[in-house]
Each structure stands twice: as structure tokens, then as C-alpha cells.
Amino acid sequence: MTTPIALTIAGSDSGGGAGIQADLKAFSALGVYGASVLTALTAQNTREVRAIHDVPSGFIRAQIETVFDDLAVGAVKIGMLSQPEVIETVADCLSEHPDVPVVLDPVMVAKSGDNLLQDEAVEALKTRLLPLAAVVTPNLPEAAVLLGRDMTGEADAMQAAGGALLAMGCRAVLMKGGHAEGDVCTDILVSGDGVNFLTSERVHTKNTHGTGCTLSAAIAAGLARKLPLVDAVTQAHAYLQEAIRQADLLTVGGGHGPVHHFHSFWSK
């Protein structure tokens, strides 16, 4: 029996709630061995990001090539890639492994609303990484940047945005509805096979740090276990919702705390 392996290519969160750390926790919780390629280091906690140190693209390439040379990677999750050169490097490396499904979390917009990527980096992400993705997982602000237009949380608008992103070359789009208003959150999966709606009651908690990272990592975990995309997304959605519901059981930091990745294992 082959051990399922997923690789995360993302930045490090020294506070442990998002980025590489969240991805590895989600992989482990869902029964998948996690490997990692660091693209940036952050000095970060639940309240702030104090400093960022970018990893040189040559060393990122070395990490990716070394992992693939030895490990049977079953799926890849991509998080924030801050520079065009890094995006080009990751795209070049993954192009050599076309049979490995890629989950692209286009981390581009901070909670403050500020763009995290330069225009050149956004363009590189659209032209180089989107066509490699088995599924892209934008929230509403990120979809707005990718499409160059305002976004609303109405189901019709989200579905149309998913179709527009699908036309850019990826195989599926999971439009995340967490930024929409209302007591019900709806994510919409748009692919060539049709449209699927995933709904859940909104959980009122400030402890939502790392939700996007965790969801995309959980999808990658499902794909590494050879689940069909719809099943991988459905499982990941359910896992994240429970991790959010249980987040207040953790007492981590004084700001926006993490979701509870190990809610099924830790005693309550």
C-alpha cells in the first residue's frame, strides 16, 4: 500500500496558524504525509506580520527538484508566491510533472484589502500557474483581482466568475463565499463537469487565521489519496467547517487565532 504524499509550496508562518504550518497540519489530520517547499519566511503571530524574508528562486527550485527526485508526490498545493521570478520557477518545475494535480490558492489580497502581489506577479500567476491547476480556490477579493472587476457574493455572480476563471485554462475553480454576507456561506465548484454548491452555516468566531490555506491543503490531501475532485473538495469543505466550529477550543495568541486542525484527535 502506497503512502499518500502531498507537497505544499508556500510561505512559513512562525505563529503556526497559516502557510506551510497549516498545510502540514491539514495533511496530517487527513491521513496524508506532507512534504514542503518554503518560498518565504515570516516573523508572524496572531496579531501581526513583523518581517518577511523571501527565499531565492534558485533555492526554491532546488527544494522542489529534491522532493520530486525521491518522494512519490500525489498532489501539490501552492500558496503565496510573492515575486514573478518565483512564480516562473515554480511553474517551470511543476510543468515537468503534468500528471500531479495542483491546487492553487491565489493568495493576493490581505484582510486589510491591500494587494500582496505586484501587477507583474499577478500576470505571471494568471499566465503560468492557472493553466497548470487542477483547481483554483479564490475568495471574492482574489477573484476580483484575477478578473479585473468588482465581485459580489451573489451566487450567479460567483458562478459567472468561476466560469471566467475556468476559461483562463485551469480545470476547475472553487469560488469561496466566506467574504459574502449572510448567515449561510456558500462555496461554488465550477468545472467542465458542471457546478456544485457547498453550503454551511456561518460560524461567528475571530479565530479564522489560515482558513484559505487549510481548505486548499485539505483538497490536495484528498487528491493525493486519489479521490475524485468533487469528493476531495466536499471532504475538504466539511473538514474546514468543523475546524472553524472548534476553533474557540484553542487559546492561541491574542489576535485572530488559528482554526483547530486536529479537532478530531485532541480531547475536548
Side-chain angles (χ1 to χ4, degrees):
M1 184 174 180
T2 303
T3 300
I5 300 173
L7 169 65
T8 170
I9 303 175
S12 168
D13 173 3
S14 57
I20 288 279
Q21 287 82 352
D23 296 343
L24 293 176
K25 290 172 184 176
F27 292 163
S28 296
L30 293 170
V32 173
Y33 180 87
S36 60
V37 168
L38 272 69
T39 61
L41 310 177
T42 68
Q44 183 176 175
N45 56 31
T46 65
R47 292 174 174 159
E48 61 180 330
V49 178
R50 293 187 183 176
I52 298 175
H53 179 72
D54 289 317
V55 175
S57 60
F59 190 72
I60 292 172
R61 176 184 292 276
Q63 292 178 80
I64 295 173
E65 291 177 346
T66 303
V67 169
F68 272 99
D69 280 349
D70 183 45
L71 277 61
V73 176
V76 174
K77 173 262 169 79
I78 301 176
M80 182 180 170
L81 307 177
S82 60
Q83 315 213 359
E85 184 180 358
V86 170
I87 292 172
E88 296 283 352
T89 296
V90 171
D92 287 343
C93 291
L94 295 184
S95 294
E96 299 177 7
H97 305 278
D99 295 332
V100 178
V102 173
V103 180
L104 174 60
D105 183 15
V107 184
M108 298 184 300
V109 182
K111 287 185 177 179
S112 63
D114 295 327
N115 287 345
L116 298 173
L117 297 187
Q118 301 172 349
D119 291 343
E120 313 89 82
V122 173
E123 191 61 28
L125 186 147
K126 290 163 61 175
T127 59
R128 295 301 314 279
L129 285 182
L130 269 176
L132 298 178
V135 60
V136 183
T137 62
N139 59 31
L140 296 182
E142 290 159 355
V145 173
L146 287 171
L147 295 172
R149 69 191 194 205
D150 292 337
M151 279 295 307
T152 71
E154 297 177 357
D156 289 347
M158 290 174 62
Q159 186 172 332
L165 290 171
L166 199 65
M168 292 182 178
C170 56
R171 279 167 277 170
V173 180
L174 180 64
M175 293 291 302
K176 298 183 295 190
H179 284 73
E181 297 182 355
D183 293 329
V184 176
C185 294
T186 301
D187 295 347
I188 303 177
L189 178 64
V190 181
S191 72
D193 296 326
V195 180
N196 297 82
F197 293 83
L198 300 99
T199 62
S200 60
E201 292 185 6
R202 186 179 298 276
V203 179
H204 297 284
T205 175
K206 69 172 184 176
N207 296 322
T208 56
H209 186 50
T211 50
C213 304
T214 299
L215 178 62
S216 55
I219 295 171
L223 295 177
R225 293 173 50 228
K226 307 302 183 185
L227 294 180
L229 178 62
V230 173
D231 293 343
V233 170
T234 301
Q235 172 191 269
H237 181 268
Y239 166 73
L240 175 63
Q241 294 309 312
E242 190 60 28
I244 295 172
R245 280 191 285 269
Q246 302 290 343
D248 289 353
L249 294 177
L250 299 176
T251 54
V252 178
H256 291 283
V259 300
H260 198 333
H261 294 92
F262 297 117
H263 55 266
S264 295
F265 303 95
W266 293 14
S267 58
K268 297 182 175 67

